[in-house]
Amino acid sequence: MIYRDAYIAEVTKRLPQTMREDVALELESTIADMTSDNPSQEELFDALRQLGDPVILASRYLERPLHLIGPALYPTFLSILKIVFPIALLVSGITALLGVLVSFSEEFSWGQAVIQGILQVVGSMLAAGIQSVFWVGLVFALIERYSSSRDSLPLSKWDPTQLKPLTTPKRQISRASVVGGFVWTAIWVGIYLNASNLLRLYWEDQSMPLLNEEALRFFLPAVIALAAIEVGFGIYKWVKSYWTVPMALWNLVFNLFWVIGTILFLTHPDLFSQEALLQFGQVLDQTEAETESMKNWAVWTLLITFIVIATLDTVEGFLKTRTSPRKKK
């Protein structure tokens, strides 16, 4: 009955959680009525052919047309958008608010400061919301257009042999891990975009940014590209739902980009503000050489941490591909 279970899984995974159990029971009963007590593979195939493409059958259960992205990916697109959109709004709003608070100047009245703060926070959230919808939609459009399995399109000549085998739990990609990835992306992008206000040196009643604005602008295109790839890869993992060797290889490439980008960013000669470093040394009563040594120690600590995390994530991806899915019968 592996083909029957795989067919039911292909239908129910495209339905809301509240519908899945009832639909699965209904399909089991329907298939049982269409076959004998111990059906042969050919008899089971005939029953599944009569039921038709699971993508189309799922859309019938939903009783509404599936447009925009495509009948196979549209429910997943909405599910991910419902997660990514509020995360982007929340993180962008919080980081913008923190930036407003740390950059508050007594030169402005409270009324002016509040109005300016609201405009900055709302503007940041609006930009983040638009960007999240755009990038998620773009990723799904690319998956729909270039997916080798063409999962997003109804199959004109559907056949039970096209069913995917059910995967073992060890190979499955948890939704929680994907959502955690989205949250992490939103956090580090939000911090980067507001780095001048969030990463500052404070002493007495003064402050100054630790990082040079010119260097941050220089790396901004790469940051946007890396974030888009990270979100896209997360969406692909959500859609695919289990680890494969090609996915583990893509994960390796992505982690290499992360590590290389981190090295180039942290070792950029103009990344840190020399004025901030000199002031830092004066506050701690250190020589310029001691301050430079402390900065280098912090940079290398961050680099090693990122390399270790990327290595562990890459190894974990390959290990999860070693557990084979159950074979078809």
Side-chain angles (χ1 to χ4, degrees):
M1 290 295 178
I2 289 180
Y3 281 107
R4 183 202 66 181
D5 295 341
Y7 181 90
I8 294 174
E10 282 293 314
V11 175
T12 56
K13 77 178 185 180
R14 295 174 168 86
L15 303 176
Q17 193 70 39
T18 54
M19 295 179 58
R20 292 179 182 179
E21 184 176 354
D22 291 339
V23 171
L25 292 174
E26 180 180 338
L27 286 176
E28 287 182 8
S29 176
T30 301
I31 294 172
D33 292 340
M34 298 172 67
T35 57
S36 59
D37 292 337
N38 188 23
S40 64
Q41 179 172 293
E42 188 56 36
E43 184 182 3
L44 180 60
F45 277 14
D46 288 338
L48 298 183
R49 289 189 184 98
Q50 292 181 49
L51 291 174
D53 190 333
V55 175
I56 298 176
L57 184 58
S59 66
R60 291 172 181 167
Y61 275 108
L62 288 172
E63 297 181 349
R64 64 174 183 264
L66 302 177
H67 301 302
L68 184 63
I69 299 298
L73 294 180
Y74 183 71
T76 308
F77 167 76
L78 288 182
S79 298
I80 293 181
L81 195 59
K82 289 176 182 178
I83 295 172
V84 173
F85 190 76
I87 290 175
L89 293 183
L90 179 63
V91 174
S92 62
I94 291 175
T95 53
L97 179 60
L98 291 175
V100 170
L101 293 176
V102 299
S103 62
F104 173 74
S105 175
E106 295 182 354
E107 297 178 359
F108 299 97
S109 65
W110 276 103
Q112 291 176 318
V114 170
I115 294 175
Q116 183 180 6
I118 292 175
L119 291 176
Q120 290 184 16
V121 171
V122 172
S124 178
M125 293 177 67
L126 181 61
I130 294 174
Q131 289 287 331
S132 63
V133 174
F134 171 77
W135 288 111
V136 172
L138 177 62
V139 169
F140 270 92
L142 292 175
I143 293 176
E144 174 114 28
R145 184 176 181 84
Y146 297 108
S147 175
S148 59
S149 60
R150 308 302 291 175
D151 291 338
S152 59
L153 299 176
L155 303 174
S156 57
K157 296 182 179 180
W158 183 83
D159 192 88
T161 57
Q162 295 168 321
L163 288 170
K164 298 177 182 177
L166 298 177
T167 57
T168 58
K170 290 184 179 180
R171 289 189 66 186
Q172 291 178 351
I173 300 173
S174 69
R175 298 285 176 88
S177 66
V178 178
V179 173
F182 292 150
V183 173
W184 160 245
T185 303
I187 289 175
W188 73 260
V189 171
I191 292 175
Y192 187 91
L193 295 178
N194 295 275
S196 297
N197 293 325
L198 297 178
L199 305 178
R200 302 180 71 88
L201 173 65
Y202 294 89
W203 77 99
E204 297 177 354
D205 59 344
Q206 303 180 59
S207 70
M208 67 171 58
L210 286 172
L211 306 180
N212 280 320
E213 190 69 32
E214 294 78 7
L216 293 174
R217 285 197 295 266
F218 175 78
F219 284 103
L220 184 58
V223 167
I224 294 175
L226 188 61
I229 294 173
E230 192 168 44
V231 171
F233 189 56
I235 293 173
Y236 181 70
K237 289 196 293 185
W238 182 296
V239 173
K240 195 69 175 177
S241 76
Y242 65 94
W243 282 95
T244 62
V245 173
M247 183 181 293
L249 290 173
W250 277 111
N251 192 46
L252 168 62
V253 173
F254 174 72
N255 282 327
L256 284 176
F257 276 122
W258 242 111
V259 170
I260 294 172
T262 302
I263 292 174
L264 293 175
F265 177 71
L266 292 178
T267 58
H268 192 278
D270 298 324
L271 176 63
F272 293 91
S273 169
Q274 292 301 317
E275 294 181 8
L277 292 178
L278 289 174
Q279 185 62 46
F280 182 76
Q282 293 177 10
V283 171
L284 296 181
D285 195 20
Q286 292 181 334
T287 64
E288 186 175 344
E290 289 174 333
T291 303
E292 185 69 18
S293 176
M294 181 176 291
K295 183 204 76 173
N296 292 335
W297 179 86
V299 167
W300 279 105
T301 300
L302 288 174
L303 284 178
I304 293 173
T305 301
F306 275 108
I307 291 172
V308 170
I309 293 174
T311 302
L312 292 176
D313 182 70
T314 300
V315 172
E316 182 184 15
F318 280 102
L319 289 176
K320 288 186 176 181
T321 65
R322 298 177 60 183
T323 305
S324 301
R326 290 183 293 182
K327 297 181 178 179
K328 299 178 182 179
K329 293 183 180 180

